[in-house]
Amino acid sequence: MNKIELGVNIDHIATLRQARGTAYPDLLDAVRLVEDAGAHAITIHLREDRRHIQDADVYAIRQMCTRRLNLELAATDEMVGIACDVLPNDACVVPEKREELTTEGGLDIIGQFERVRSVTQRLNAANIRVSLFIEPDIEQIRRVPDIGAPVIELHTGTYANATGESKQHELRRIQEATEFAHNLGIQVNAGHGLDYDNTQAIAAIPQIHELNIGHSMVARAVFVGIRQATVEMLELMQAVRAGA
Ligand code: PXP
């Protein structure tokens, strides 16, 4: 069976905690439940403004998580320094603007080639597997080997927000970008805006290795708990891979 993995982004459990400055909900409890449900990775984004995940969370989760830790980070010296100290298994380099609600769009690795390459090389040297969060754009993907990142995460936000024919068009872009990157020997992950309705079409792309999903799962967890929300998402993803 052609397997697909799930990284659960728990940033928004921290958003709920930060809204009141309380000690709860406890992120470490969330990590235990998500891992127990069968997730393959824990994903967290330490933002420059520390709006949800805090530095102490990153260290505490690193200590206790038993699956892969995927740290999302901006291409800044501060974040690379923290990553090289924490040593997550994976680091996903993302664009970051202070005023945005969430990560909007992929990294421009053509425009920021030197910075992204130098960040990637520093993380590679620390044995952290680097993933670049980019748009499903062939010209961007063409430059990935020169940057030296073994993994990309395709931004699925435009697909998630599209409706009607443009949704099919966005899905085709992701399929073509995945195939192109896979043929270059790059591991392809995907994420952003994926939910219980739109994930299966992405999970059905056979070369996609991992999905990183957060907001929709934390929202679902309000009603069914984060363990069940994780089980449900894994079942959806795996159903379209069964027998593939
Ligand atoms: N992948 C990356 C690189 C992200 O920045 C985010 C949002 O933090 C996600 C996946 C998860 O997106 P969502 O919360 O919309 O599922």
Side-chain angles (χ1 to χ4, degrees), residues 46-117:
L46 184 66
R47 293 186 72 101
E48 192 185 12
D49 62 12
R50 310 300 199 268
R51 68 174 70 160
H52 37 54
I53 297 292
Q54 306 297 304
D55 296 52
D57 295 326
V58 182
Y59 285 89
I61 293 170
R62 167 71 294 181
Q63 282 290 312
M64 56 74 69
C65 92
T66 63
R67 304 288 163 88
R68 277 184 293 110
L69 175 62
N70 174 28
L71 180 64
E72 297 178 356
L73 76 180
T76 65
D77 292 340
E78 182 201 16
M79 288 303 156
V80 174
I82 292 171
C84 290
D85 192 40
V86 171
L87 298 177
N89 307 79
D90 301 328
C92 181
V93 185
V94 301
E96 199 176 296
K97 293 191 220 95
R98 266 180 190 269
E99 64 279 13
E100 69 191 356
L101 273 180
T102 179
T103 314
E104 290 164 2
L107 201 59
D108 176 9
I109 64 171
I110 299 173
Q112 289 197 286
F113 185 82
E114 283 310 329
R115 167 127 290 264
V116 178
R117 188 169 64 165

Side-chain angles (χ1 to χ4, degrees), residues 167-180:
K167 196 167 200 85
Q168 284 314 309
H169 170 75
E170 290 304 324
L171 181 58
R172 272 196 302 279
R173 278 185 74 210
I174 295 168
Q175 287 164 335
E176 285 163 15
T178 301
E179 223 169 284
F180 184 79

Side-chain angles (χ1 to χ4, degrees), residues 3-8 34-43 65-70 89-90 129 209-212 230 234 237-238:
K3 282 206 312 189
I4 182 162
E5 302 199 341
L6 172 64
V8 179
V34 162
E35 288 187 342
D36 187 51
H40 304 86
I42 301 295
T43 297
C65 92
T66 63
R67 304 288 163 88
R68 277 184 293 110
L69 175 62
N70 174 28
N89 307 79
D90 301 328
R129 186 171 60 163
H209 186 88
E210 172 181 304
L211 300 180
N212 282 295
T230 304
L234 277 166
M237 290 164 53
Q238 286 163 353

Side-chain angles (χ1 to χ4, degrees), residues 9 11-12 45 72 92 94 102-103 133 153 191-194 212-215:
N9 181 314
D11 291 349
H12 295 303
H45 183 177
E72 297 178 356
C92 181
V94 301
T102 179
T103 314
F133 186 53
E153 180 170 322
H192 209 279
L194 296 180
N212 282 295
I213 309 181
H215 187 265

Side-chain angles (χ1 to χ4, degrees), residues 149-169:
V151 183
I152 56 174
E153 180 170 322
L154 294 178
H155 184 275
T156 50
T158 311
Y159 157 78
N161 291 331
T163 52
E165 272 187 25
S166 57
K167 196 167 200 85
Q168 284 314 309
H169 170 75

